[in-house]
Amino acid sequence: MTTRQRVLSGIQPSGKLTLGNYIGAMKNFVALQHEHDCFYMIVDLHAITVPQDPAALREQSEAVAALFVAAGLDPTQASIFMQSHVPAHAELGWLLTTMTYMGELERMTQFKDKSEGKEAVGAGLFVYPSLMAADILLYRSHLVPVGDDQKQHLELTRDLAGRFNHRYGETLVVPEPFIPKVGARIMSLDDASKKMSKSSPNAGSFITLLDTPDEIRKKISRAKTDLGRDVLFDVQNKPEVSNLMTIYAQCSGQTLEQIQATYEGQGYGAFKKDLAEVVVQALEPLQSKYKDIRASGEIHHILREGAERANTVAEVTLREVKEAMGFLPRGGH
Ligand code: TYM
């Protein structure tokens, strides 16, 4: 029997969610929900570290919340909520910002990528990782299911938890990343040296969870493949095909060896044709559930209940953190 642990993770409501978000993170959100005490949020406070159109932010927030449920999260098992509905995130974010070193933030590759070549870079983008640390530490989370690209932020979170406990006494839990063995980094369909990302200017480079079957077929048929014709998993020498095989494995439940055996001697054409159908079939139930949830309007109720449960836990941690740091309690007696 596994012991019940606290789990927290978050996804940004910017743009549409991709197959990378699903395979790298959401599949594990779902897998962990029955055995652990799970909190999953839509990180709208993080989204505004780059400019957002208010109407689009509202729509995307609701869409991502509905996708959480459509992907298999059960709101009676896991708490699903908006980050901005729990004020403790912004407050602990500030407290931790004061304990984060500039050098630590300057080293973050996500900051470097997102600020590169930009003239005006918001300060929020720079201190983004301190807010992310607050997200995780507020729930005293043991496990944080994320894709490979969030590893560095998790390391900083662990350092901040340790720093806090060292300065002010044992208060916070040092969390562990929970990263899938296969699929932690789904790559772009047009370039296997870049991760699949919804912010890519080429819409053919990523598959979103709401793409139509025809869009999916078209994108996969145009996906770049390596020289040769053998369907072999070899990340060094066949990065493009290995990425497609990873997607196949994650969407079908088959192992890489099984896939390799099935397509031996068949070439890329047959493999890509089947891959498209595997992805279409994996997303079909999610897409039909998504439509039902959006039509029902039940997402508002789910988010309200999730925020209530999240606030209850977060307020206790925040109070203890402030007490440990020497803030005067609000009195009363
Ligand atoms: P975000 O919104 O960019 O991505 C959400 C999750 O999807 C994973 N992911 C991928 N996994 C595999 N392959 C890909 N191509 C791929 N693209 C994205 C990400 O690793 C992530 O797990 N900073 C976070 C959001 C966040 C958060 C948190 C996460 C804010 N606070 C607290 C965990 C805990 C982010 O921008 O994720």
Side-chain angles (χ1 to χ4, degrees), residues 248-261:
Y248 193 123
Q250 286 292 316
C251 290
S252 67
Q254 292 185 32
T255 63
L256 296 167
E257 292 76 20
Q258 283 170 324
I259 298 164
Q260 210 158 286

Side-chain angles (χ1 to χ4, degrees), residues 8-12 18 20-21 23-25 41 43 46 83 110 114 128 132 135-136 144-150 153-154 183-187 195-198:
L8 173 123
S9 196
I11 295 191
Q12 296 204 47
T18 68
N21 295 129
I23 293 172
M41 60 177 175
V43 294
H46 276 104
Q83 186 183 29
Q110 184 167 306
K114 288 199 175 177
Y128 176 117
M132 177 160 162
D135 299 339
I136 296 165
V144 184
V146 283
D148 192 61
D149 62 332
Q150 297 299 316
H153 288 160
L154 253 295
R185 200 175 183 81
I186 299 296
M187 309 314 276
K195 78 166 184 183
M196 183 183 282
S197 165
K198 52 204 165 201

Side-chain angles (χ1 to χ4, degrees), residues 55-273:
L57 181 63
R58 252 188 307 272
E59 160 57 25
Q60 282 303 319
S61 298
E62 203 173 316
V64 174
L67 279 171
F68 274 17
V69 181
L73 283 181
D74 175 352
T76 66
Q77 297 284 326
S79 303
I80 300 170
F81 63 100
M82 300 301 307
Q83 186 183 29
S84 64
H85 292 176
V86 182
H89 288 264
E91 192 170 349
L92 184 61
W94 170 250
L95 301 179
L96 293 177
T97 297
T98 66
M99 298 179 57
T100 314
Y101 303 123
M102 301 280 286
E104 288 175 318
L105 295 171
E106 277 159 3
R107 276 198 293 279
M108 294 291 130
T109 55
Q110 184 167 306
F111 173 72
K112 287 191 216 166
D113 291 348
K114 288 199 175 177
S115 59
E116 203 183 337
K118 301 236 164 69
E119 255 178 46
V121 177
L125 196 62
F126 190 58
V127 298
Y128 176 117
S130 308
L131 178 60
M132 177 160 162
D135 299 339
I136 296 165
L137 300 177
L138 265 183
Y139 298 87
R140 296 196 159 108
S141 319
H142 305 99
L143 296 178
V144 184
V146 283
D148 192 61
D149 62 332
Q150 297 299 316
K151 231 173 166 169
Q152 202 186 21
H153 288 160
L154 253 295
E155 271 310 311
L156 177 65
T157 304
R158 289 167 56 82
D159 288 347
L160 285 171
R163 191 171 303 157
F164 188 98
N165 290 343
H166 182 72
R167 279 192 201 165
Y168 303 113
E170 282 301 313
T171 312
L172 299 171
V173 170
V174 181
E176 296 282 342
F178 188 90
I179 296 176
K181 285 200 179 67
V182 178
R185 200 175 183 81
I186 299 296
M187 309 314 276
S188 172
L189 298 180
D190 63 351
D191 179 356
S193 69
K194 294 198 193 115
K195 78 166 184 183
M196 183 183 282
S197 165
K198 52 204 165 201
S199 55
S200 164
N202 174 13
S205 73
F206 57 86
I207 292 174
T208 85
L209 301 185
L210 297 176
D211 279 351
T212 63
D214 279 346
E215 284 168 331
I216 294 170
R217 290 186 188 108
K218 204 178 281 169
K219 287 180 184 181
I220 291 181
S221 78
R222 290 182 187 162
K224 200 171 157 199
T225 39
D226 309 278
L227 289 174
R229 63 186 303 275
D230 294 333
V231 180
L232 286 178
F233 190 80
D234 177 348
V235 178
Q236 282 293 323
N237 300 309
K238 285 183 162 269
E240 322 277 353
V241 170
S242 300
N243 184 46
L244 296 179
M245 287 178 76
T246 303
I247 295 174
Y248 193 123
Q250 286 292 316
C251 290
S252 67
Q254 292 185 32
T255 63
L256 296 167
E257 292 76 20
Q258 283 170 324
I259 298 164
Q260 210 158 286
T262 306
Y263 295 99
E264 201 179 335
Q266 289 203 47
Y268 297 149
F271 166 69
K272 282 170 84 176
K273 209 155 177 263

